[in-house]
Amino acid sequence: FPVTIANETQRSNAAIWAQNQKIGRLAYDTFENKEDGILTYDSKYNVLACVFSNAINGISIFNTNPFIDRNHEISKCTFDLIPNNATDPDAEGACIRIDGGMFDFVHDNTFGTEATPQTLNDHGIRMTNASGFRIIENNFNNLRTGVNISESGYEDGEGGYVGAGLSIDPPYRDWE
């Protein structure tokens, strides 16, 4: 009998797929060897302390209706080997991809590691058609692009904020 696999990379398409859902919080989960760890359309949720590795995209958020409150908070997550394009050097991926987001808050995450070659990690955060976002206190290691923002903000200048800095987790908490 012929063997049927999920796709040519032998990965499942998504560990979590949702549309028009209010999920609440996803916490302390591990997403490994998936096309997308979390793939959602017009859904509201927060992600806390999850691990994403060996995927095309860690978290993919698509909001098609900008008038519905679908903001997200993504915090204390770890992303590595995204898209892990050792077999396909032209593959593009993002640890966090947000299309059509409003007031998303991405903070205190770690993207890539010192030990992972830059060629195996693509974008840390990729946002398109987003506004009011805050991206602060994240650590970016060996990525091709840390933050990529395009076609975002309103005509009145309502864009977002991207800040730099170290994580507030120990041992940095005691720094003055």
Side-chain angles (χ1 to χ4, degrees), residues 33-127:
N33 201 31
K34 308 288 184 233
E35 291 292 303
D36 289 274
I38 301 171
L39 174 61
T40 60
Y41 298 87
D42 298 317
S43 296
K44 182 174 177 63
Y45 55 94
N46 296 323
V47 183
L48 172 67
C50 292
V51 176
F52 298 85
S53 67
N54 198 23
I56 299 298
N57 296 293
I59 301 171
S60 294
I61 298 169
F62 297 95
N63 294 314
T64 61
N65 187 342
F67 302 107
I68 297 176
D69 177 19
R70 300 285 189 206
N71 64 315
H72 305 85
E73 180 177 357
I74 302 169
S75 176
K76 300 181 188 281
C77 294
T78 303
F79 301 87
D80 196 30
L81 296 172
I82 296 176
N84 191 11
N85 49 8
T87 56
D88 183 4
D90 295 326
E92 280 196 28
C95 299
I96 299 172
R97 177 181 176 181
I98 301 175
D99 289 5
M102 288 182 65
F103 305 109
D104 294 302
F105 186 26
V106 181
H107 63 97
D108 296 299
N109 298 289
T110 300
F111 299 90
T113 67
E114 297 287 328
T116 303
Q118 185 179 29
T119 56
L120 300 181
N121 284 314
D122 205 10
H123 300 285
I125 302 169
R126 185 176 213 170
M127 301 185 93

Side-chain angles (χ1 to χ4, degrees), residues 151-170:
E151 301 174 26
S152 295
Y154 293 120
E155 292 176 4
D156 65 1
E158 170 82 32
Y161 176 77
V162 179
L166 296 171
S167 173
I168 60 172
D169 285 340

